[in-house]
Amino acid sequence: MRAFIVLFVIGISQAKTLNNFLRNDKYDCSYCQPEQIHISFGDKTNDIVVTWSTFNDTLESRVQYGKDIMDKEAIGTATEFIDGGDLKRTQWIHRVLLKDLKFNTKYVYHAGSDYGWSELFTFKTPPAGEDWVVRAAIYGDMGNKNAHSMSYLQDEAERGRFDLILHVGDFAYDMDTDNALVGDQFMRQIQPLAAMVPYMTCPGNHEEKYNFSNYANRFTMPGNESSLFYSFDIGPIHFVSISTEVYYFTEYGIKLIPNQYYWLRDDLAKANTEENRSKRPWIILFGHRPMYCSNSDDDDCVVEYTRVGLLGMFGLEPLLNEFGVDLVVWAHEHSYERTWPLYDNRVYNGSYEQPYVNPRAPVHLITGSAGCQEETSPFKHDPAAWSAFRSVDYGYSRMTAYNKTHLYMEQVDVQLKGQVIDAFWIVKEKHEAYGL
């Protein structure tokens, strides 16, 4: 009892100290205004995590929210992030979990503290269950300069056309550039998208500096490995995010390769059980560097360690076959490319007339042309037989999972004012291991 009283008194003392601190007019909180606001899914799709930055410590992280009016409040935490550049710039990354929200409901919110609140934002939680249409924007390799797709994505998001966004690696170019000022600029730039639609990510090679610290600190994804690999369920889809970069930057921990491999094997095995496949039959994996590509300017199109492994160990392509992964999405190449159903460099179409109807291998898609200051990636003149469609125009992909059997993909060309230049259906009556 005496220990409880002591702890209680300490708690009151700390609360008074915080209250006095917040009321201290002499405290300089010139940089306490929230910015770079973005949201993501938590452990469930009706758990929304709000993440933002301030450049002074506000000693509190709060989100006020509600269905029509902001009649609820959630409290979170802030972490000091010191960039690895010469200036060692500091900011505080705030995270607040809005837990157990009502499904299929529009919420309003703002984020901040007594020292300042963000503007008002809205988001809509997905419906419950598996039987509803899921719509996603998918792209990679978007920088703060030359971001051709940004205005189109913002327009579509504000019209309520996306349930989530997948950014498949390479942000800002680069988030650590100019002592991480470019990272701040990019996070402000995506705020109109990412503050209203869950922004789900994976790391790319441009996030490597200082052990991926800008990526791991700025984004909040499910899982325990600094957002490097994780999975989540939405509607009829099981999404899996991986880090292709653990194969290339082994100085940050070569154990991440087997860690991710065994985690992925367990995750896919669970997703492929009869019970789970009956609920969420679509398994879609995304990561940055492609297993297959026909570009002419990159060694990644010759040998891809994620596919074949290092020294023949921990290659991931066999897992796609063993657990019946339906669609694999990549970026890295600044272009768009679609493959025929493909495994181990061989095409396994459903039929000659309808290759994507009951395909007998995973379909691969590269969508890395959202726009950055680097040039688009040219193609070889004579692609392999597995390459079905290619484009070097800037753009992004849209995915619509209509139900448990029909998935629709299309590529939006922003150089052609939003024209759809490629579209295809994947139709599967049964989702299971391919047995190749």
Side-chain angles (χ1 to χ4, degrees):
M1 183 66 179
R2 183 176 300 171
F4 172 79
I5 293 173
V6 170
L7 290 173
F8 181 72
V9 170
I10 291 175
I12 292 176
S13 175
Q14 289 177 339
K16 287 182 177 179
T17 300
L18 174 59
N19 186 58
N20 291 335
F21 176 86
L22 292 174
R23 294 178 180 276
N24 185 354
D25 294 335
K26 294 181 180 180
Y27 176 66
D28 179 11
C29 207
S30 305
Y31 301 100
C32 285
Q33 187 65 28
E35 60 171 63
Q36 308 175 38
I37 297 99
H38 53 287
I39 64 174
S40 56
F41 292 124
D43 291 335
K44 313 185 301 295
T45 54
N46 65 328
D47 290 346
I48 295 293
V49 181
V50 185
T51 305
W52 72 93
S53 293
T54 60
F55 293 95
N56 280 142
D57 185 5
T58 63
L59 291 187
E60 61 175 7
S61 307
R62 298 157 58 193
V63 171
Q64 296 175 340
Y65 67 102
K67 288 191 288 182
D68 297 308
I69 58 173
M70 294 184 293
D71 56 352
K72 295 180 175 61
E73 180 171 276
I75 308 296
T77 59
T79 303
E80 184 181 20
F81 169 52
I82 303 174
D83 173 61
D86 293 338
L87 297 183
K88 304 301 179 187
R89 290 180 63 243
T90 298
Q91 61 183 278
W92 279 261
I93 310 291
H94 303 258
R95 293 177 172 86
V96 174
L97 171 64
L98 311 183
K99 191 171 177 59
D100 295 326
L101 301 174
K102 292 185 179 297
F103 287 103
N104 201 25
T105 301
K106 184 177 180 179
Y107 283 87
V108 296
Y109 76 97
H110 67 187
S113 69
D114 276 352
Y115 279 109
W117 294 97
S118 72
E119 59 265 51
L120 190 69
F121 297 105
T122 65
F123 66 83
K124 186 174 181 292
T125 53
E130 304 88 39
D131 297 317
W132 56 278
V133 178
V134 178
R135 307 157 304 160
I138 309 175
Y139 54 85
D141 299 78
M142 187 165 70
N144 75 316
K145 298 178 181 177
N146 202 35
H148 283 263
S149 299
M150 179 64 73
S151 63
Y152 290 85
L153 290 162
Q154 181 179 346
D155 179 66
E156 292 212 68
E158 290 175 349
R159 295 176 187 274
R161 293 176 180 171
F162 303 133
D163 301 300
L164 72 158
I165 292 172
L166 303 184
H167 190 142
V168 191
D170 281 6
F171 307 80
Y173 282 73
D174 296 342
M175 287 193 287
D176 65 274
T177 299
D178 196 10
N179 292 285
L181 286 170
V182 168
D184 295 336
Q185 293 166 4
F186 177 78
M187 298 305 293
R188 297 183 193 113
Q189 190 174 1
I190 66 169
Q191 180 175 285
L193 286 173
M196 67 167 54
V197 181
Y199 206 87
M200 309 304 289
T201 63
C202 72
N205 56 295
H206 278 268
E207 284 67 71
E208 173 267 335
K209 204 69 175 287
Y210 316 125
N211 192 13
F212 297 86
S213 59
N214 267 275
Y215 172 79
N217 280 276
R218 292 177 185 272
F219 292 103
T220 309
M221 297 296 117
N224 301 316
E225 291 286 351
S226 299
S227 305
L228 293 181
F229 46 90
Y230 61 93
S231 65
F232 64 99
D233 296 326
I234 181 168
I237 305 171
H238 180 70
F239 277 113
V240 185
S241 171
I242 65 166
S243 171
T244 58
E245 304 315 300
V246 300
Y247 289 83
Y248 293 86
F249 299 105
T250 56
E251 65 269 29
Y252 296 131
I254 197 167
K255 288 184 178 180
L256 284 171
I257 296 174
N259 287 354
Q260 177 175 251
Y261 176 87
Y262 291 118
W263 170 86
L264 179 60
R265 184 180 182 87
D266 290 344
D267 184 87
L268 292 178
K270 182 178 179 181
N272 193 48
T273 62
E274 184 176 352
E275 178 183 1
N276 285 331
R277 213 78 201 243
S278 66
K279 294 178 181 178
R280 291 186 171 89
W282 295 105
I283 299 178
I284 299 177
L285 182 144
F286 63 100
H288 184 61
R289 303 194 199 212
M291 289 185 179
Y292 297 92
C293 53
S294 64
N295 302 84
S296 60
D297 65 336
D298 202 318
D299 291 340
D300 285 341
C301 294
V302 179
V303 176
E304 211 300 308
Y305 294 130
T306 307
R307 185 172 77 84
V308 301
L310 285 178
L311 302 177
M313 299 175 62
F314 304 115
L316 301 184
E317 190 178 28
L319 300 183
L320 310 182
N321 166 53
E322 182 178 356
F323 299 110
V325 174
D326 300 291
L327 177 67
V328 195
V329 180
W330 313 105
H332 189 58
E333 301 297 336
H334 300 166
S335 54
Y336 169 79
E337 185 166 17
R338 162 173 58 89
T339 76
W340 301 116
L342 172 65
Y343 180 71
D344 195 20
N345 279 291
R346 292 184 59 186
V347 172
Y348 292 89
N349 289 341
S351 68
Y352 180 79
E353 297 84 5
Q354 296 179 306
Y356 299 110
V357 175
N358 297 318
R360 296 177 293 125
V363 177
H364 293 252
L365 195 75
I366 301 168
T367 177
S369 58
C372 64
Q373 67 261 39
E374 295 183 358
E375 297 295 325
T376 54
S377 303
F379 287 109
K380 299 174 183 177
H381 292 298
D382 300 313
W386 46 254
S387 183
F389 184 93
R390 310 186 299 177
S391 172
V392 294
D393 284 359
Y394 291 110
Y396 58 96
S397 302
R398 291 191 298 230
M399 183 209 75
T400 307
Y402 281 95
N403 50 42
K404 296 179 179 180
T405 58
H406 287 68
L407 185 80
Y408 182 66
M409 299 293 305
E410 54 189 5
Q411 178 67 7
V412 177
D413 189 321
V414 301
Q415 292 180 226
L416 297 177
K417 306 296 184 182
Q419 179 179 327
V420 174
I421 58 169
D422 184 45
F424 66 102
W425 290 88
I426 301 177
V427 180
K428 299 190 78 168
E429 297 168 357
K430 190 173 184 180
H431 303 257
E432 59 185 356
Y434 296 107
L436 301 174

